[in-house]
Amino acid sequence: MALDIKFLQSEVFDQYMADDDNRPWIIGFSGGKDSTMLLQLVWSTVAKIEPMLRTRQIHVVCNDTLVENPKIAKFIHVTLEKIQTEAVRQGIPLTVHETTPRLEESFWVNLIGKGYPAPNNTFRWCTERLKINPTTEFIKNKISQIGEVIILLGTRSAESVNRAKSIKKYEVKGERLRKHVLPNAYVFALIKDVETDEVWHYLLQNDPGWGGTNRDLVTLYRNASGGDCPLVIDTTTPSCGNSRFGCWVCTVVKKDKSMAALIDNGEEWMEPLADFRDMLQENRNKRELRDTKRRGSYIEDENTWGPYIEEERANMLRILLEAQKEVQRSEPELVLINAQELVGIQVTWHRDSLFRFSVADIYNSVYGTALEAKDFDVQDLFEKEILREIFHDEEDFELINEMLEVQRSKYILVSKYGLQNDLENHIDRYVKMRK
């Protein structure tokens, strides 16, 4: 049976005009083929409704993990700007929102700061921190403001067996909406029964309401020979798997086929990124690069695999900055790790009582700059000159200064949890060194 676009649009119209206290719509937009089709169907339908009847608010939410494939990230950013501009011009009650992980949950602060091992299928710490939490927080905020929301997702049963099971599990026969795992949230899976070839046929035959065509999207898929990541808002939504436009640092898959394909199709500037990802995957299970203690526990145990050792964290930061410097030769605006994340790494090192390496020194060694440690730290709570007047012993001065850094790190990362334990452990190590 051929895809019935008019039926899908009628579904959108009926649900949009439903008498349900105008519960706002939240559309998960990843910039891929499925979410683009979903948004186009909503846009084309709402645009035909009389302006005075367009009273239901629509929120387009796109999550940026801060480690997205740069080629894809740039494409999505340009698309979102077009969507917001045209929504205002055409009187569509739609606003665009980009969510990002909190600093303490960002990929680089976890990997290089805390020393988390690169993600794999058994320790996939990235999905929740980078994807689920930011978008979930946005949805929860809307629920707290309004009461209930309807989430529109471009998930399709044809995408995978697991996705089909997930959709089936929560749907109610005869009803458009199904309950979401979040309280007071409902899901409207408009295109769940659409086949992949029907998605492409629709996109090639219908231009987006915000202008332009879908040719760039088609070219992107063709060059990357891959698929897109769905907007992940809970554990029932499959993550990237084998079909992905996602994080360029992803080590869950054995080979990043999409990035490799982009490089083969002329994006050679991405080679340093591919090399860095491969290094992460290769080094993950090297015993000599992992500590024999977990954070908060200082009992040596050769059978315990803890975080990356201090030297490896510093080494990864140096190689990352070298990769960033290299790609900036052809992509000068591209930033792989931002200033806030650099501060977050330095703060995390201090919190974990790691003082042998300085983010400023590593940055200076790569970029030839003359930045000081304070450029990657918070303003001193106490003047160091006063400390020196009180503590004549250099080692005592360093101890107090380092403990203050541990305390400051808790404030920057908005978490005082475990502060007393961190300080006590730091003192214990100091006493052992003085014996």
Side-chain angles (χ1 to χ4, degrees), residues 208-435:
W210 49 89
T213 70
N214 289 313
R215 284 196 296 270
D216 288 342
L217 179 63
V218 174
T219 300
L220 201 56
Y221 269 84
R222 183 182 297 116
N223 288 344
S225 301
D228 61 301
C229 279
L231 184 83
V232 180
I233 59 173
D234 56 63
T235 55
T236 67
T237 305
S239 189
C240 305
N242 294 321
S243 174
R244 62 179 216 90
F245 274 168
C247 306
W248 68 267
V249 291
C250 183
T251 49
V252 175
V253 293
K254 291 183 178 179
K255 180 178 176 59
D256 189 337
K257 296 179 181 179
S258 63
M259 186 155 63
L262 285 169
I263 293 172
D264 290 342
N265 281 285
E267 306 292 343
E268 291 91 351
W269 61 270
M270 296 179 67
E271 288 181 356
L273 278 65
D275 291 341
F276 187 90
R277 190 213 78 96
D278 292 344
M279 179 204 70
L280 288 183
Q281 191 167 60
E282 181 182 348
N283 290 351
R284 188 188 193 280
N285 293 323
K286 287 185 177 180
R287 192 67 183 88
E288 66 272 20
L289 301 180
R290 299 280 292 279
D291 212 331
T292 55
K293 57 190 177 186
R294 299 191 188 279
R295 184 172 179 270
S297 174
Y298 297 94
I299 301 175
E300 298 293 334
D301 179 1
E302 63 180 14
N303 296 316
T304 300
W305 283 54
Y308 290 118
I309 59 175
E310 187 174 1
E311 291 86 347
E312 180 60 12
R313 301 188 207 184
N315 185 53
M316 285 192 293
L317 178 58
R318 177 184 58 79
I319 297 175
L320 174 63
L321 290 172
E322 288 174 346
Q324 176 173 273
K325 182 180 179 181
E326 180 63 27
V327 299
Q328 285 175 341
R329 297 180 189 277
S330 56
E331 302 289 329
E333 302 300 318
L334 180 61
V335 175
L336 300 181
I337 179 170
N338 62 45
Q340 291 82 3
E341 290 170 306
L342 290 170
V343 171
I345 289 171
Q346 184 66 83
V347 166
T348 305
W349 286 354
H350 286 173
R351 182 200 65 185
D352 287 352
S353 301
L354 305 179
F355 294 96
R356 290 176 52 200
F357 298 95
S358 161
V359 170
D361 290 344
I362 297 171
Y363 190 93
N364 290 337
S365 70
V366 174
Y367 278 93
T369 51
L371 298 175
E372 300 179 10
K374 65 180 181 181
D375 295 313
F376 296 97
D377 211 338
V378 285
Q379 186 176 5
D380 289 343
L381 299 180
F382 302 100
E383 293 292 338
K384 292 185 179 180
E385 289 77 7
I386 298 177
L387 286 178
R388 287 198 177 278
E389 291 179 6
I390 299 173
F391 297 98
H392 301 290
D393 186 295
E394 182 66 23
E395 291 185 348
D396 288 343
F397 166 77
E398 289 299 331
L399 170 65
I400 298 302
N401 189 46
E402 290 174 1
M403 290 178 66
L404 286 173
E405 295 291 354
V406 172
Q407 183 186 38
R408 291 183 194 119
S409 70
K410 290 292 184 179
Y411 286 105
I412 284 190
L413 297 178
V414 201
S415 172
K416 298 180 184 178
Y417 179 77
L419 175 58
Q420 180 177 346
N421 185 64
D422 288 345
L423 293 175
E424 289 176 351
N425 286 326
H426 198 75
I427 293 173
D428 287 343
R429 283 201 304 278
Y430 174 75
V431 170
K432 289 178 182 178
M433 288 189 298
R434 292 296 296 266
K435 287 182 178 179

Side-chain angles (χ1 to χ4, degrees), residues 132-162:
I132 296 176
N133 291 346
T135 310
T136 297
E137 284 302 309
F138 177 86
I139 296 172
K140 285 182 176 179
N141 287 337
K142 288 300 175 186
I143 292 174
S144 66
Q145 294 171 14
I146 301 164
E148 291 183 336
V149 298
I150 297 175
I151 304 168
L152 282 73
L153 297 176
T155 51
R156 295 184 300 110
S157 300
E159 281 292 281
S160 71
V161 174
N162 288 337

Side-chain angles (χ1 to χ4, degrees), residues 1-5 37 156 193-203:
M1 184 186 298
L3 180 64
D4 190 341
I5 298 299
M37 179 183 185
R156 295 184 300 110
D193 296 321
V194 178
E195 299 292 332
T196 300
D197 59 343
E198 293 174 329
V199 174
W200 284 120
H201 184 267
Y202 172 82
L203 293 176

Side-chain angles (χ1 to χ4, degrees), residues 51-71:
M52 62 182 300
L53 298 179
R54 301 173 190 166
T55 56
R56 189 187 301 271
Q57 290 297 310
I58 302 172
H59 303 279
V60 173
V61 183
C62 184
N63 183 61
D64 181 2
T65 63
L66 302 180
V67 283
E68 298 294 319
N69 183 303
K71 186 73 176 179

